[in-house]
């Protein structure tokens, strides 16, 4: 049994049993991947994948257990390398982050700027996507950290730690009837067409819940994952915008008026997390601390010792999260 073989079966599973795509991602040949998988199955005397001719069609029950164990082994191998690097090469390495547009555009620039000043030789890589995509990348170990608000609870192998609370603002053009509104209500908002985030993005579930609880059905005329896109369509008078308050900059967005809507919606919580079993290098702890100062190394290590989400939440029950 070789580490390479374990890596191949995990990658095939991650690529939906597409051996060709797996080979391409690993910079090797399709026959080579297939041969190594066959050799591993022969050695273990068990089928990991069901086949239809040359095509893999399904992971066997035994295969699911083996792939899960193989992923844990590969994490341990990666951890061994990180331990060695942390002692021999403290200020060199890489850090990959998966996050949404809102975090990448409005929250992370200052954090990353400060981090690069501290660790100029660390290579940073940022992936943007939907919250589900972000969580999946972290769950598979493709990235080191996931930063998002939605969908992070879908993956049990992630340790997700709360960073800050935030709420929403309504944005309109200066000549809009709501521009001078001082007593904004959900009923008033529901009278106008609304432009906001796609469902599953940037706390959208809290927004929907508020309207449903009030028995209102607002008309959503346009949704997008990008706050800058939402603002563009608000400027075209397509509708009233509802965005994360952090996405409004009075200097950059001078064509728009922002109206605080935090009294209308429950606050959302942005979290940062990583895959269970991950060894965090010193600079990784530093990045988390820059992003969320209350997440000290001691608290992070306590979180890593938890077995369930309930145990994890108990650690943060007594911590008052800041508002962004």
């Amino acid at each position: 049994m070789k580490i390479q073989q374990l890596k191949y079966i995990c990658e095939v599973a991650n690529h939906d049993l597409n051996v060709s795509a797996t080979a391409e991602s690993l910079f090797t040949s399709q026959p080579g991947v297939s041969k190594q998988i066959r050799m591993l199955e022969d050695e273990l005397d068990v089928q990991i994948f069901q086949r239809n001719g040359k095509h893999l069609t399904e992971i066997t029950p035994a295969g699911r257990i083996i792939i899960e164990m193989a992923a844990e082994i590969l994490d341990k191998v990666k951890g061994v390398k990180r331990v060695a690097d942390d002692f021999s090469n403290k200020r060199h390495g890489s850090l990959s982050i998966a996050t949404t547009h809102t975090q990448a555009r409005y929250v992370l620039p200052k954090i990353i700027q400060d981090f690069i000043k501290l660790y100029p030789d660390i290579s940073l890589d940022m992936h943007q996507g939907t919250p589900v995509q972000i969580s999946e990348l972290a769950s598979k170990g493709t990235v080191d950290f996931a930063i998002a608000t939605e969908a992070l609870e879908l993956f049990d192998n992630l340790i997700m730690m709360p960073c800050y609370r935030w709420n929403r603002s309504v944005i309109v053009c200066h000549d809009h009837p709501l521009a001078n509104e001082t007593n904004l209500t959900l009923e008033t908002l529901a009278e106008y067409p609304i432009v906001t985030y796609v469902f599953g993005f940037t706390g959208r579930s809290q927004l929907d819940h508020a309207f449903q609880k009030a028995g209102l059905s607002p008309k959503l005329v346009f949704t997008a994952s990008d706050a800058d896109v939402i603002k563009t369509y608000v400027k075209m008078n397509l509708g009233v915008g509802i965005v994360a308050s952090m996405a409004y900059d009075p200097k950059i967005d001078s064509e728009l008026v922002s109206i605080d809507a935090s009294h209308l919606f429950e606050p959302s919580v942005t979290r940062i997390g990583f895959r269970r079993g991950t060894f965090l290098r010193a600079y990784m702890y530093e990045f988390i601390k820059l992003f969320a100062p209350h997440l000290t190394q001691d608290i992070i290590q306590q979180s890593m010792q938890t077995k369930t989400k309930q145990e994890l939440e108990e650690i943060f029950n007594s911590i008052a999260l800041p508002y962004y």
Side-chain angles (χ1 to χ4, degrees), residues 31-299:
V33 172
S34 298
K35 179 181 177 181
Q36 290 298 323
I37 292 174
R38 283 287 193 187
M39 289 174 64
L40 179 59
E41 289 178 323
D42 290 343
E43 180 182 347
L44 298 176
D45 195 24
V46 68
Q47 255 192 306
I48 297 173
F49 300 103
Q50 296 280 9
R51 292 169 174 80
N52 182 3
K54 293 183 178 181
H55 299 286
L56 305 183
T57 59
E58 191 178 350
I59 303 173
T60 66
R64 294 190 183 280
I65 297 172
I66 291 169
I67 289 171
E68 184 178 340
M69 295 177 70
E72 292 175 0
I73 291 169
L74 293 172
D75 280 345
K76 293 293 185 183
V77 171
K78 188 185 293 184
V80 168
K81 292 178 179 178
R82 282 185 166 176
V83 170
D85 287 341
D86 212 43
F87 279 90
S88 64
N89 209 356
K90 291 182 180 293
R91 306 195 70 80
H92 289 78
S94 63
L95 179 62
S96 54
I97 303 160
T99 190
T100 61
H101 166 84
T102 298
Q103 301 294 329
R105 170 70 176 80
Y106 299 104
V107 182
L108 284 171
K110 181 63 167 63
I111 307 300
I112 289 176
Q113 183 182 48
D114 291 344
F115 180 81
I116 289 176
K117 288 179 181 178
L118 291 171
Y119 295 95
D121 295 319
I122 300 298
S123 173
L124 277 168
D125 185 23
M126 184 181 292
H127 302 252
Q128 290 186 55
T130 68
V132 172
Q133 290 170 335
I134 290 163
S135 302
E136 188 173 12
L137 286 171
S139 177
K140 290 179 178 179
T142 305
V143 298
D144 298 310
F145 293 145
I147 299 174
T149 301
E150 304 272 2
L152 299 173
E153 73 284 352
L154 299 177
F155 297 86
D156 291 332
N157 67 336
L158 294 180
I159 297 173
M160 301 306 307
M161 301 173 294
C163 300
Y164 60 84
R165 299 180 187 275
W166 58 269
N167 218 307
R168 297 146 189 82
S169 292
V170 168
I171 52 172
V172 294
C173 293
H174 287 274
D175 59 354
H176 193 277
L178 290 182
N180 297 311
E181 180 65 52
T182 57
N183 187 29
L184 188 64
T185 65
L186 287 174
E187 289 75 14
T188 302
L189 264 182
E191 295 175 5
Y192 297 91
I194 290 176
V195 181
T196 191
Y197 298 106
V198 173
F199 185 80
F201 263 85
T202 316
R204 166 67 190 278
S205 58
Q206 298 286 68
L207 186 150
D208 290 350
H209 177 70
F211 281 113
Q212 289 169 4
K213 188 177 179 180
L216 300 169
S217 300
K219 182 181 179 182
L220 301 181
V221 294
F222 182 83
T223 61
S225 58
D226 185 327
D228 291 334
V229 172
I230 292 171
K231 287 186 284 187
T232 296
Y233 285 87
V234 171
K235 291 174 186 176
M236 295 166 58
N237 285 312
L238 192 66
V240 172
I242 304 178
V243 297
S245 295
M246 68 187 79
Y248 175 80
D249 184 320
K251 293 181 180 178
I252 298 174
D253 303 315
S254 58
E255 297 176 60
L256 299 172
V257 174
S258 174
I259 307 165
D260 179 46
S262 60
H263 61 293
L264 302 179
F265 306 104
E266 289 293 323
S268 294
V269 177
T270 291
R271 299 174 185 265
I272 186 170
F274 50 88
R275 184 173 174 168
R276 286 189 180 275
T278 299
F279 174 79
L280 298 183
R281 295 187 60 184
Y283 63 79
M284 294 178 172
Y285 283 109
E286 186 64 35
F287 180 87
I288 295 175
K289 185 178 178 182
L290 287 171
F291 188 69
H294 63 278
L295 295 179
T296 63
Q297 187 165 334
D298 285 344
I299 290 178

